[in-house]
Every structure is written in structure tokens, then in C-alpha cells.
Amino acid sequence: MKPAARSPLHPAALGAGQAAPAAGMPAPPISALPRPRGELEQLEAAWAPPRGWRRIGSVNNIFIGRLYIATAFLFLLLGGVLALLMRAQLAAPGMTLFSAPVYQQLFTMHGTVMMFLFAVPMVEALAVYLLPNMLGARDLPFPRLSAFAFWAYAIGGLAFYATLFWQLAPDSGWFMYPPLSSTAWSPGLNADFWLLGIGFIEISAIAGAIELITGILMTRAPGMTLRRMPVYAWSMLVVGGMIVLAFPAVIAGTALLEMERALDWPIFDATRGGDPLLWQHLFWFFGHPEVYIIFLPAAGLVSTMLPALARTPLVGRQAVVVALCAVGALSFLLWAHHMFTAGLGGLGLSLVSIFSVAIAVPGALQIFAWIGTLWRGQVRWTTAALFVTGFLGAFVLGGLTGVMLALLPFDWQAHDSYFVVGHFHYVLIGGMVLPMFAALYHWIPLWRGRAMSERVGRWVFGLIFGGFNLTFFPMHIAGFLGMPRRVHTYGAGQGLEWPNLVSSAGAVVIAVGVLLFVVDLVRSQRGPEQPHSDPWRSPTLEWLPSEDYGTRSIPHVEHQEPLWHRPALHQEVTAGVHWLPGSLTGGRETLLTSPWEAAPRRVVVLAGDSLWPVLGAVGTAAFFLLMTVKSTAGTLAGLLLATVAIWRWLWQTDAHPPMAEGEAAEGRWLPIGASGRASPSYWATWIVIVVGASVLASMGFAHLHVAMRLAVCPPPGAQLPGSSTLLWATAGYAASAALMAAVGRGLGAGPLARWRVAGLPVAWGLVAGSFELGRRAALGQGPAPTVDAWTGTLAALVAYQGLHVVMLLVLAAYLGARILAGLVRPRQRNTWDNIRLLWGWCCVQGVLVLWWPTIVALGE
Amino acid sequence: MSVAAVMHPASREADTLAAVIEATLWVCTGALALAMLALAGALLWRSRRPVADGVWIWGGGVVLPLLVFGGLLGWSMVKSEGLDEPPPPDALQVSVTGRMWWWDLHYGTDGPAAAFATANELRVPVGRPVRLTLASGDVIHSLWVPSLGGKMDAVPGRLNRLTFTAREPGVYRGPCAEYCGTQHAGMVLQVVAMAPEAFEAWRQAQTRPHASADKVGDNGSRLFQLHGCASCHSVRGHREAPAAEGLGPDLTHVGQRLWLGAGTLRQPGGREALKTWIADVHAAKPGARMPSFQHLPPQDIESLAAFLAEAP
């Protein structure tokens, strides 16, 4: 490999990167040279992708990441086409290119596709592709989970888009406010398809969050302390946390809306005690963090690209990291600014307004950090740099219109007008799409070693950036001239002709620019793969020479700009001088390191290629799709396929490590395998529990919200369960949890004896019995859930717990099978530990569901 | 032509909003200019220079936005305090119910003046506070008359309030501002602000029954009942009992309204617009809930239009 050129940096700036080795950590070289013969071949063999058609079962993050990026980009194009059609209709007043109902499907799908099938998947896809290499990990902690999440998203997303061709696409707007989206006003399957489409994104987002959090905290290269971690990794860590806390609200909301539509439980129906505003609270509690989930990764990408482009470290790097965390946290307080005109009233709105202005401060901090970095450095004018500059202009403008909208008087005029449409396109396109193009131009040499054309890139930038401003700036004016959102046409004589015409022209310019990008992409990537030449002389690890297995050896990191600090890293890593230069077990391994200091702790064997995640995704997609079109046979077939596939996939994981220890570096022996708190799967399980708890909290909030609107609580005819019933059921859940603990006693000393399996059906029986006791008491005597929202939300809580009882049955069966097969042993216990955690949570949840309605009623 | 422009306020409330908006636009344009100047400097100034991190991060990134945006926020809150006050007891009370896709208006009793219903055209006196109570008969709508004030949603199961005091006579457009289905774009409230005496005269005329015209008119009245129009549309004074609530706009004195169909068809006078509407409602407003009356013979349409226009 060609050595990297010495970096032309100001010494003082470089010194700020904490170059001292962390206490107790060796300095390179870590592994002795020469490396044993056959070691590299063994590494390559472990990571070799499957051949032929079985390639589809590859789970390597490079393979999945590329497909993921390509699929998300495809949805950008598909959503963009819808926008072109809309702009064609709006180019002049009174046009009838599309009837109103068709136009309404177009704008609903445009928003839904862009937000759910393009933006969030794209930021996840870029992380799947870039993050492991940037962190010095060989892959993500759960490669099969990423594969499953991707395939479910790809299949589900494409099926969802296809509803357009049958005029079955949703048409109540991308945030689907009831009652318009309820059965009364949207009787067809359209709204159900939206709920379905969202379901796929929810799965892949949660899976993504699990990978991000565990990967960033547990698999970084040794010596990459949190302070040295690239800013992009910080942004993805914050985003992972945000996904875990925000998505559950929309998961709960969509589940409730589907229950209202399918079962006629009146959650949002005002005529039966429900409240349309409940949907808005749930949706926007997710929806506002969602836009920062989309923006923060782009901000992180810019913070990571900019030092390479400006050839100087990021100004105020630590403050930028704090700002990212501040944005993430603050974003959860702003949701009601989407409801400023809903009639909520009073102090709450003022507080939300204050917070909405406050979030501009960490935003401004990052802007000044970036401009400061440009000021200090010397920009290399690549196309990526052009797009970053464009981002700076567009995002500042969009952010400022956001500050305007945060002011109540301003919002009372601008809300739901084209001003808002202008604002959010500036922050979404300016704040995410432009950085995305920058990132694609910047990192594409990682793919096949070839950069794109700089000459064509200037045209791409000019057309996209120029077209973007042409399209969206006039919308602010149209809004102030009284043009509301989501209108399929507008009248002549209001002054709306020229802003709309200019917008429509701009859309065509953007389309030409994107087309040019695609053409140049195809053209520039033709020809054989070649090693990239580190063309931008970047400081971060993803630019080390790498193959499917990542780098030959995992780099030892001593600085926050490792490649600038130690230019010899390129050759050292390839020669195998650093950590884990081969495969100790013959499988795919990476290092687990401590969350803060990244001290090497263990070597884990990652899950390998398999067709089961793909089949599981097919089954899951089929299950949801066919359930939506009400095909019982199809739904059951999909469920069966998904269950079998996921079972077979999981069965191969949690394998017994072939040896207890391995030499990860000269004289450094690390345990192989991890269980308990040292295992990423343990934390993944906790993340799932937090998600489940957040969904529960949202559903509990729904019940509380409708209860608070009742004059008499519980409503006439309804009955709270008696306290003895509640106590018996609580005891049942507690007993089940205790029994599960007993089943696994002594696992630390030796394998679990097969007779322990007997405890599982009893434990499940206790859970099922307690559930049924609670269900009868809560819903058995009172009115049916279709009668009023109090009972409806209660039934939803009970149904949610019921779903978990069914899932526990499957988990009990799986665990029983593992025990019977002798696969639950002291060093092979992740299955046991994680199922027990989930079991415990389900019991806690069961108790909460039992008592919540009583607590709410007593509080009334 | 009716006006809908945020920066052309015609009420005290809209004046306040416009003042806040204008000041905000200036401050934010200034902020944008400052940021772009810094960016341009960073990109165009060729030589490399050291950067005081503290100044950029704490000065530019924290203190500056806190001061500028905090100041703007504080000022806007003070300036708009008056908008929160409850309307005076002598405000004109009108209840507005948004329905797919028209505005159902009920004027309350006002001293000696009786209550009455109308639709799609809200006439108000200049200089007197008007207090609207907003409700919805089906899905969420939103009342927005940019020249007269901010918007307020009409949410099923809730009653929201909106108050404004028109400053000068004029006709002001109020498009529905919450997506509500097929004809969301075709649900425009016209607000006509009039001199107080003119408003009184209008209100008196509204409370009087709909004129039964001459023979042709009587035929129209008969056809109005025969073809089922009266089951959805109330017309004060028609022999048929008032229609069930909320099915269709009240058509008493509809011939005097500036528009038909909630802003769909301009009605300059006479009966042409009414004839166009009745003859083919779905050509004018596709998706409207009113059934088609294309099958009626032209002379029946003529009679109906004449009846509704209160003119021979």
C-alpha cells in the first residue's frame, strides 16, 4: 500500500488530540512480525462471502450496507418522482393533471416514502457501511439482525410503494391524522397499508438502534476512548438512544389506530370519548425527535468530513459532542410545537416555544464550529466540500425559519401553510440530503477504489443546490400569500402563480442534477475494483486498507485523528502488527472493548452468513402484508415462515466458544466469547426492554389521556377489577418470575440438567393464568371495548400484554429446546440470560397493566 | 377579489402578528447575513489564520444565539400578550362548525337581534370584536383568515375559540388550513367586514325569511322540496321543516353571497352561478357530498335557481 503523506497540520491543533496512551495500554507494535503462514488466508476464508445465489445470505456489513444505501437511494428517486408529479400539477392554477384523490395519494406517499423509506434508512445504511470500519471493528455486533432488518425494509418498502399502482396508497397525509384516517372517513385499505409500511420501518429502526448502541459502546478499537471516537460515532450513539425513546410512541400510536380501524375500538373517536389530539401527541412525540434522528447523523458526517476537507481538526470538537447530546435531549420537549393551533392553550405552549427556540443554540454552536474549522483550515474544493458548503447555507436558512416558527404568533399564521413546507424542506434537504451527497462523493472510493468525476460533480452540485433553492424559497412567500398545505390546486388571482411556477421549474432542475449524479455514478464505477489511494488524506480509520474482514489487524488507537497522528498505521495494520491479525477460532471475530477507555476485554465470534434472516424477513413481510389484505392463510404462512426462520437463525448463535482464551496480541490473552453483562446481546435485550417499556408507557398515556377527559371515571357500566383479583394475579406473575430464576439455578457451576425444562410450562402457565385473570376482571363484566375510549384503551393495554404472553410461549419453547439439546452451559448462557430478562420484564409489564387503570381512576 | 395576505393585516390581532413577523424576519435575515458573511470569509480568504476556539464556540455558538433569539422570543411574548385576553362580553358571537367541505355558521342572539344560520360567508362589523367558537362535524379542519389573524383548528370533541376585530371594510379569504379530505382546497370561508350600519342591515335581512318569488319562484320552492333539496338544505320560510343539522349549507338568501360552494364559484349576481352549480355540482367541485342533479330538465334548474336567488 502507498504510505499516507505526512499531514500538514498545525502542531498545536494536533496536540489537542490526547496523544498519550491510556493507562495500562501497550504501544504498537502489538503483534510480533513476521505473522505465521496461512494466518491471512485463514482470516480471508472465515470472512469469505457465500458463492452464487447464496450470496443473498451474506450478512457482512459491507454487503448489507451497500444494498441498504442503494435501496434507500432508490426510495429517494421514487419519492422524488412523486414530487415531480405534484409540482407538475401545481405549476399553474386550476390544473387537473390529477384528480384530488390521486393527488392526495401522491403527497401522502411522497412524505411517507421520504421520511420513512428514504431518510431514516439512509442514515442507518450509512452507519452500517461506515461505522464499523470507522471504529476499528470488523463488523456490527449482530450481523444477522442487520440483514433481517434490511431485507424486511426492502421487501416491505417496495410492496408499500407498489400500492400506488392499485390506487390503494394511503391518502390522509404522511402523519395520518384521525378522524380523517379512521374507518369512517378512510374506509378502504389505504390507511391500513400506511400502518403496515410504518411497521417495517419500526422494526428496522429498532434493530438499527440496537446495533448502533452496542456497537459503538462495546466494539471500538483498543485505545479509541470515547473522547477519541469520531464525532460521527457520537452522533450515531445519540441517535440510537433517540430511536429507542422516540419510536415506541409511534409504534403505540399506529397499533392503537389499527385497533380502532380493525376492531372499532374508539381510541381517537370523539363521539365515543376518544380524542383526535391523542394521536397528535403520540405521533409528534415520535415525530419531532424523528427529524433530529434524520439530521444528527448528517451533522456527524459533516463534523467528520470537514477536518479532512479543511485539513485541520474540528474547532470545538468537545463542545460539538455536547451540542449533539443537547439536541438529542431537547428534541423530546418540542413535540407540541406541531400542535400550536390545536387549542391546547396556556403555559404549556409558552414552554414549548421557549424550548423550541433554545434548541437553536446547540445548532448554532455546531454551525460556528464548522465555519471556524473552515476559517482555520484550507479547503480542498472537492465536490464533497461544495455540498458541505451548500449544506451550511441551506441549513442555517432552514434553522432560522425554524426559530421563526417557534414563536407562537409567527406560527399562528405560518402553520399548515406553504411556509412550513419551505421550512422543513430546507432543513431536511439542506440538513440531510446535501450532507448525504457530500458523504457519497467523499466516501465512494471505499467501494471500488474509484472517486467520481470532480468536473461532473460541480454540475451535479450546481443543479441540485440551485434547483433546491429555486424550488423551496418561493414556498415561504406562497405561504404568506395564504396558500395552505396539501391543496391539490389553487385559485388564480391571489398572486400564487409565480411562486408555484418557479418552484415547479426548480424541481425539474433538481431532477436533472440527480439524474446526472446517477449517470456519473454508473460511469465512474465501471472497471475492476482497485485499492483506494486514501485520496483525501483523511484522519479517521475507515480509510485504512480493508477487505470484507475490515482491516487485517485491528488498529491500536492513540489519538482522535489516528491516521494523521500515525501515518504508518496503513502499513502496520496491513502487515498484521496490531490487534487480532488473524482468526483465532476460524470464525468471524472482533474485539470487545470497555465502553469508556476501550481497553480490550474479549474476543467474540460474530454470526456468519445465513439465508435464515432473509427468509425471516420474507416471512415477516408476508405476515404483515397478507394480514392487511385480510388473507388468513397467507398471514399464517408468513407467520410460520418467519417463526421457523428466526428460530433456525437464532439456534446457530450463542455457540459454545471452541476455546476459552486466545492470543489477541503478543502476550495478550483474552477470553473468547462473552456472556452476562460483558455480552452485547445482554445489552441488546435491555434495549428491547426499554423499547417495550416505552411502548407500554405510550399506551398507558393513551388510557390516562382519555380518562382525564371523562366526567366520571370509570365511565358508567365499567368496573375496575377487585383488589383481591389484582393481588392474586400479581402474585402469579411474581411466582412465574421466581420460578424462572429457580429453573436456571446453578448454571454458573455446570450445564442445566434436562429436567429443568419441566419448570417452563409451569412458569408460562402462571403468566397465562395471571393474564387471563386480569383480562376477565378488567374487560369481562363491563361494556365492550367498542363502546367507549376508556374501555378501548384498556383493551389495547390488555391486548399488548396478551401479545407478550404469546411471545413468552414461543420463548419458553425455544429455551426448552435449548435445554433439552444440552446447549445451556456456563460458557454458553446468553439464550438463558436474555430470555430470563425478557420473562422478568413481561411479568413486570403484566403487573403494571393490571394496576394502571385503577391508579388512573383513583387519581381522577 | 378577496385578500389573504399575512403582511396585509386588517384587524388588530393580525396587526400584532404582522409586527412580530416583520421584526422576526429582519432579525433572522440579519443572522443569516452574519453567518453567510463568516462562511464567505472562511472560504474566500486565502491565507490560513489561527482561530480562537473560545470566541467561535462560546461567543458565536452560545452567547450570540442566546442573546439574539432569547431577546426576540422575549419581545414577541410581550408584544403578543394582548392576544391571550378573553374577548369582551359585547363581542359578536358566531359558532363555526367545519364540515367536509363547507363552513356552517350560526350567529348567536345579540341583544335584540335574533340568532340565525348561514354558511360559507361570515359578515362582521368593523371595529367590533368577533368571537368565533370553532367545532367540527367530522374531521379536523382549521379556520385561517390571514388578514384577520392567526389560525385555530376545529377539532372533533373540542370547542376552540378565535377572536378578531376587523379594522377596515373588505373581503378576506379564509382557506381551510388542515387537510380534511378531497376538497380541502375547496373549503374557503369568505369574511366580509362591513361598516356597522351596513352589517346591521345585512343581519336584519338574514333573519327575514327567504323570499318566495313570483309564479316561477313558487314552482322553484315546490321543486326544492320535491327533489329532496330541503332534506339537506334549510331555507328560512320554506314550508318544509329545517333540514337535519349539518348535512348541507343553509341556503337562506344564498343569492346574496359572493361565492358558492365555499369559494368554488364566483357569484357576481343573478342566477347563472346557481344554475351552473345545480346543473353539475361535480364539475365545479369534484367529490362534493351533494348528489348530482344533472338529470333535471333545464327549466327545473331555472326555477330552482330563481327561487334560491330570490329573483324572478
Side-chain angles (χ1 to χ4, degrees):
Chain A
M1 294 306 304
K2 288 193 327 214
R6 197 150 275 287
S7 145
L9 292 178
H10 194 288
L14 190 49
Q18 306 107 43
M25 298 274 269
I30 315 283
S31 298
L33 286 179
R35 299 308 310 157
R37 277 164 55 98
E39 185 184 61
L40 179 58
E41 285 73 14
Q42 193 196 26
L43 182 64
E44 286 171 345
W47 287 85
R51 290 233 247 266
W53 66 269
R54 289 177 177 277
R55 194 83 206 275
I56 204 179
S58 169
V59 299
N60 190 323
N61 76 295
I62 300 297
F63 174 77
I64 294 291
R66 274 200 307 257
L67 273 179
Y68 214 154
I69 294 173
T71 309
F73 197 86
L74 173 66
F75 280 115
L76 172 65
L77 299 178
L78 291 176
V81 164
L82 299 177
L84 285 172
L85 297 178
M86 287 160 62
R87 285 312 325 168
Q89 167 92 343
L90 292 181
M95 284 188 68
T96 50
L97 227 50
F98 303 106
S99 67
V102 170
Y103 184 86
Q104 286 151 5
Q105 290 190 15
L106 291 179
F107 73 65
T108 303
M109 287 299 277
H110 169 73
T112 308
V113 167
M114 288 304 200
M115 293 298 283
F116 290 116
L117 295 180
F118 159 64
V120 173
M122 177 59 88
V123 301
E124 285 184 354
L126 287 168
V128 166
Y129 186 80
L130 280 177
L131 209 48
N133 277 10
M134 202 184 274
L135 296 175
R138 287 239 161 87
D139 203 322
L140 292 165
F142 305 104
R144 292 188 180 185
L145 181 63
S146 295
F148 170 77
F150 164 69
W151 287 110
Y153 147 71
I155 299 169
L158 287 170
F160 173 67
Y161 191 84
T163 56
L164 272 170
F165 300 113
W166 278 268
Q167 297 235 24
L168 279 177
D171 58 1
S172 309
W174 84 271
F175 37 86
M176 298 287 282
Y177 278 0
L180 185 61
S181 60
S182 301
T183 322
W185 308 110
S186 292
L189 284 178
N190 315 51
D192 302 297
F193 276 118
W194 185 87
L195 295 165
L196 160 82
I198 297 316
F200 290 113
I201 307 320
E202 291 162 0
I203 296 173
S204 60
I206 302 297
I210 290 172
E211 300 269 28
L212 289 171
I213 297 172
T214 54
I216 291 170
L217 289 178
M218 300 180 82
T219 67
R220 300 194 309 277
M224 184 185 279
T225 64
L226 278 181
R227 296 184 86 191
R228 291 177 187 163
M229 185 166 84
V231 179
Y232 177 59
W234 273 107
S235 69
M236 294 316 293
L237 182 60
V238 171
V239 164
M242 289 170 73
I243 289 175
V244 167
L245 294 172
F247 265 81
V250 78
I251 293 174
T254 50
L256 289 171
L257 184 57
E258 188 52 48
M259 283 187 244
E260 179 174 284
R261 289 181 56 85
L263 304 170
D264 197 29
W265 294 355
I267 319 281
F268 309 108
D269 179 356
T271 64
R272 286 181 281 173
D275 186 9
L277 291 190
L278 173 62
W279 168 268
Q280 296 188 23
H281 281 298
L282 288 172
F283 185 86
W284 289 116
F285 187 81
F286 149 77
H288 193 77
E290 151 90 336
V291 305
Y292 290 99
I293 288 170
I294 292 171
F295 166 63
L296 288 184
L301 287 170
V302 170
S303 288
T304 306
M305 279 188 282
L306 205 47
L309 297 172
R311 294 175 272 185
T312 184
L314 188 68
V315 164
R317 190 191 200 269
Q318 282 192 50
V320 167
V321 170
V322 173
L324 286 171
C325 298
V327 170
L330 260 177
S331 71
F332 281 89
L333 300 176
L334 309 186
W335 81 91
H337 71 216
H338 299 267
M339 302 162 68
F340 273 169
T341 63
L344 294 177
L347 178 63
L349 287 190
S350 300
L351 271 177
V352 172
S353 175
I354 293 171
F355 290 135
S356 302
V357 173
I359 205 166
V361 174
L365 191 153
Q366 293 181 73
I367 301 280
F368 275 97
W370 293 322
I371 298 182
T373 309
L374 288 170
W375 198 273
R376 177 165 78 189
Q378 200 164 42
V379 178
R380 192 204 321 264
W381 281 106
T382 61
T383 309
L386 285 175
F387 272 104
V388 168
T389 309
F391 152 76
L392 286 172
F395 185 70
V396 170
L397 197 154
L400 286 170
T401 57
V403 171
M404 296 182 204
L405 289 165
L407 306 174
L408 281 159
F410 197 104
D411 190 69
W412 286 333
Q413 285 285 19
H415 173 72
D416 259 347
S417 76
Y418 257 80
F419 186 94
V420 170
V421 180
H423 159 69
F424 65 65
H425 282 92
Y426 263 85
V427 284
L428 286 172
I429 297 183
M432 184 258 168
V433 175
L434 296 183
M436 175 200 79
F437 276 109
L440 291 173
Y441 272 99
H442 187 74
W443 274 294
I444 206 152
L446 293 182
W447 180 20
R448 314 187 85 245
R450 295 169 181 281
M452 291 179 65
S453 158
E454 284 297 319
R455 203 175 47 88
V456 174
R458 274 151 177 61
W459 279 94
V460 170
F461 170 71
L463 287 167
I464 292 181
F465 187 70
F468 154 73
N469 281 292
L470 264 183
T471 308
F472 296 105
F473 193 81
M475 289 187 182
H476 301 94
I477 301 173
F480 270 18
L481 289 174
M483 184 173 180
R485 283 178 77 166
R486 298 163 159 190
V487 288
H488 67 284
T489 189
Y490 52 92
Q494 299 169 55
L496 295 174
E497 287 84 342
W498 77 260
N500 278 284
L501 190 57
V502 173
S503 287
S504 297
V508 176
V509 175
I510 299 177
V512 173
V514 174
L515 192 61
L516 193 58
F517 172 82
V518 173
V519 166
D520 186 46
L521 178 67
V522 170
R523 189 205 57 79
S524 67
Q525 300 303 311
R526 271 193 325 234
E529 253 184 67
Q530 62 198 30
H532 67 77
S533 56
D534 187 19
W536 323 123
R537 303 290 177 264
S538 291
T540 40
L541 294 180
E542 74 280 9
W543 289 98
L544 288 171
S546 69
E547 305 288 338
D548 278 341
Y549 46 77
T551 47
R552 162 79 193 275
S553 55
I554 294 179
H556 185 86
V557 170
E558 295 172 310
H559 191 272
Q560 67 192 21
E561 282 102 21
L563 296 192
W564 283 348
H565 176 251
R566 200 182 174 86
L569 215 49
H570 291 256
Q571 304 112 299
E572 289 179 4
V573 152
T574 314
V577 155
H578 286 255
W579 295 86
L580 210 61
S583 172
L584 299 172
T585 64
R588 298 179 175 185
E589 297 152 2
T590 198
L591 284 177
L592 289 187
T593 55
S594 62
W596 213 270
E597 294 298 326
R601 291 266 188 264
R602 291 165 179 270
V603 174
V604 276
V605 181
L606 299 171
D609 300 324
S610 164
L611 289 170
W612 293 119
V614 186
L615 290 171
V618 170
T620 309
F623 170 70
F624 284 111
L625 264 163
L626 296 171
M627 183 158 66
T628 308
V629 299
K630 304 185 177 21
S631 153
T632 320
T635 309
L636 288 174
L639 182 61
L640 188 63
L641 176 60
T643 309
V644 168
I646 296 174
W647 183 297
R648 296 292 300 263
W649 147 16
L650 287 176
W651 196 265
Q652 293 167 352
T653 62
D654 191 23
H656 198 271
M659 53 238 225
E661 283 188 320
E663 194 173 12
E666 193 71 22
R668 292 293 299 259
W669 289 79
L670 296 176
I672 298 195
S675 56
R677 278 194 277 262
S679 165
S681 73
Y682 176 84
W683 296 106
T685 308
W686 267 110
I687 293 171
V688 170
I689 289 175
V690 172
V691 169
S694 306
V695 174
L696 180 71
S698 300
M699 293 188 132
F701 167 75
H703 182 72
L704 176 66
H705 183 90
V706 304
M708 281 173 62
R709 290 170 61 78
L710 288 173
V712 174
C713 179
Q719 234 181 331
L720 290 173
S723 31
S724 70
T725 314
L726 288 179
L727 289 169
W728 275 113
T730 305
Y733 279 121
S736 180
L739 182 56
M740 279 300 277
V743 163
R745 257 169 42 134
L747 179 53
L752 279 191
R754 286 180 172 77
W755 64 263
R756 302 275 182 130
V757 174
L760 295 177
V762 180
W764 188 80
L766 282 167
V767 162
S770 301
F771 168 74
E772 183 60 16
L773 201 59
R775 186 194 70 79
R776 272 174 211 235
L779 297 171
Q781 288 104 353
T786 54
V787 170
D788 64 79
W790 187 89
T791 316
T793 48
L794 176 54
L797 278 167
V798 170
Y800 184 61
Q801 175 62 7
L803 176 67
H804 284 75
V805 172
V806 171
M807 280 161 43
L808 277 189
L809 181 62
V810 179
L811 287 178
Y814 183 78
L815 180 59
R818 294 286 287 192
I819 297 176
L820 286 175
L823 295 178
V824 182
R825 301 183 260 181
R827 284 172 51 229
Q828 187 181 17
R829 52 177 299 167
N830 289 335
T831 306
W832 160 257
D833 285 333
N834 298 337
I835 289 184
R836 194 185 141 202
L837 260 182
L838 290 171
W839 198 281
W841 165 248
C842 285
C843 292
V844 169
Q845 182 176 272
V847 172
L848 290 172
V849 168
L850 278 173
W851 287 93
W852 183 240
T854 306
I855 296 173
V856 167
L858 286 179
E860 286 302 304
Chain B
M1 261 326 341
S2 53
V3 174
V6 170
M7 300 314 283
H8 286 100
S11 79
R12 297 208 299 251
E13 291 77 5
D15 285 335
T16 306
L17 299 180
V20 170
I21 291 171
E22 188 172 339
T24 306
L25 287 172
W26 279 115
V27 169
C28 291
T29 305
L32 179 66
L34 178 71
M36 292 305 101
L37 221 61
L39 178 62
L43 297 176
L44 301 175
W45 201 343
R46 277 286 141 197
S47 64
R48 297 181 46 211
R49 55 241 145 231
V51 157
D53 284 29
V55 169
W56 279 92
I57 297 299
W58 295 108
V62 180
V63 173
L64 189 61
L66 269 177
L67 287 179
V68 171
F69 298 141
L72 181 62
L73 174 67
W75 175 81
S76 79
M77 286 174 111
V78 168
K79 181 85 179 162
S80 57
E81 246 173 347
L83 294 173
D84 263 347
E85 276 159 23
D90 64 337
L92 178 67
Q93 310 264 6
V94 184
S95 99
V96 178
T97 305
R99 302 184 188 277
M100 287 152 123
W101 293 284
W102 54 283
W103 297 97
D104 193 357
L105 306 174
H106 289 263
Y107 283 73
T109 53
D110 185 27
F116 64 94
T118 182
N120 296 328
E121 189 172 281
L122 178 71
R123 295 205 177 211
V124 298
V126 166
R128 182 177 170 196
V130 175
R131 189 223 210 194
L132 305 178
T133 305
L134 299 175
S136 166
D138 35 45
V139 300
I140 303 178
H141 301 275
S142 188
L143 183 60
W144 181 37
V145 191
S147 296
L148 295 178
K151 62 179 62 70
M152 181 59 74
D153 293 351
V155 181
R158 289 176 182 253
L159 287 177
N160 284 335
R161 314 265 190 270
L162 187 62
T163 306
F164 66 87
T165 307
R167 241 196 313 104
E168 53 195 63
V171 182
Y172 307 105
R173 251 175 78 86
C176 174
E178 182 62 59
Y179 173 54
C180 53
T182 312
Q183 278 294 342
H184 165 61
M187 186 173 163
V188 181
L189 178 73
Q190 302 293 336
V191 182
V192 183
M194 318 166 73
E197 314 77 50
F199 171 75
E200 268 317 306
W202 173 83
R203 176 162 52 182
Q204 297 247 1
Q206 285 296 313
T207 51
R208 284 197 288 272
H210 190 91
S212 230
D214 58 356
K215 265 170 88 172
V216 176
D218 270 333
N219 188 34
S221 172
R222 180 187 68 84
L223 289 169
F224 191 76
Q225 178 192 348
L226 178 69
H227 291 300
C229 314
S231 48
C232 292
H233 296 286
S234 295
V235 173
R236 278 187 287 287
H238 192 267
R239 69 183 78 91
E240 191 72 10
E245 178 164 329
L247 290 176
D250 188 295
L251 294 182
T252 315
H253 310 308
V254 64
Q256 293 165 29
R257 294 181 202 161
L258 298 171
W259 293 81
L260 287 182
T264 303
L265 279 181
R266 187 80 178 85
Q267 189 171 223
R271 48 179 106 153
E272 285 315 300
L274 282 162
K275 277 163 62 177
T276 309
W277 183 265
I278 301 168
D280 197 353
V281 58
H282 296 123
K285 193 166 180 178
R289 295 287 162 80
M290 176 167 154
S292 170
F293 287 94
Q294 279 180 316
H295 56 281
L296 291 186
Q299 60 269 35
D300 282 5
I301 295 180
E302 187 76 42
S303 299
L304 281 167
F307 164 67
L308 289 169
E310 300 178 283

